[in-house]
Amino acid sequence: MSDRMTAKKTESTKTARTVEAVVVSSKMNKTRVVQVKRQEKHPLYGKYLTKLTKMYVHDEENCSRDGDVVLIEHTRPLSKTKRWNLKQILKREEQE
């Protein structure tokens, strides 16, 4: 019976949700503020509206900078506001 229960647990593994975002602030230590842009259609008029959402992301190596395009994944709560983890940097912002 224990073999059957372990088989069920291994079959139902979930993959974490991943999102592309732009780093807005890198002033905190090991924390980045990113902005996710999405488009929603207005229910009555049909016009597409741009919605912005800010999220706090855990960056263990402090490697991302302002303007970088990053891939983040949902994780367990790390603090009061952090629920996302930096997975990889997709595009670096050029330094001036």
Side-chain angles (χ1 to χ4, degrees), residues 51-67:
K51 303 273 187 162
L52 303 174
T53 305
K54 286 187 179 180
M55 299 176 188
Y56 288 89
V57 177
H58 182 69
D59 183 7
E60 185 65 37
E61 290 90 29
N62 284 326
C63 57
S64 61
R65 300 185 298 256
D66 289 355

Side-chain angles (χ1 to χ4, degrees), residues 1-12:
M1 183 166 185
S2 63
D3 295 331
R4 194 180 305 160
M5 292 180 80
T6 56
K8 286 183 182 179
K9 287 182 182 179
T10 56
E11 290 174 6
S12 63

Side-chain angles (χ1 to χ4, degrees), residues 16-23 29-34 36 55-64 69-79 81-90:
R17 179 178 171 214
T18 58
V19 178
E20 281 188 27
V22 178
V23 178
N29 188 27
K30 295 188 179 183
T31 302
R32 300 293 181 256
V33 180
V34 299
V36 177
M55 299 176 188
Y56 288 89
V57 177
H58 182 69
D59 183 7
E60 185 65 37
E61 290 90 29
N62 284 326
C63 57
S64 61
V69 178
V70 295
L71 186 68
I72 59 175
E73 69 178 350
H74 197 262
T75 183
R76 63 180 176 83
L78 300 170
S79 69
T81 54
K82 280 199 288 188
R83 270 90 173 123
W84 295 85
N85 208 359
L86 181 70
K87 193 168 185 180
Q88 78 181 77
I89 299 172
L90 300 174

Side-chain angles (χ1 to χ4, degrees), residues 32-50:
R32 300 293 181 256
V33 180
V34 299
Q35 194 171 41
V36 177
K37 188 185 290 188
R38 68 182 193 282
Q39 288 188 330
E40 291 183 358
K41 192 173 183 178
H42 192 279
L44 179 61
Y45 300 114
K47 182 178 180 178
Y48 284 94
L49 304 172
T50 303

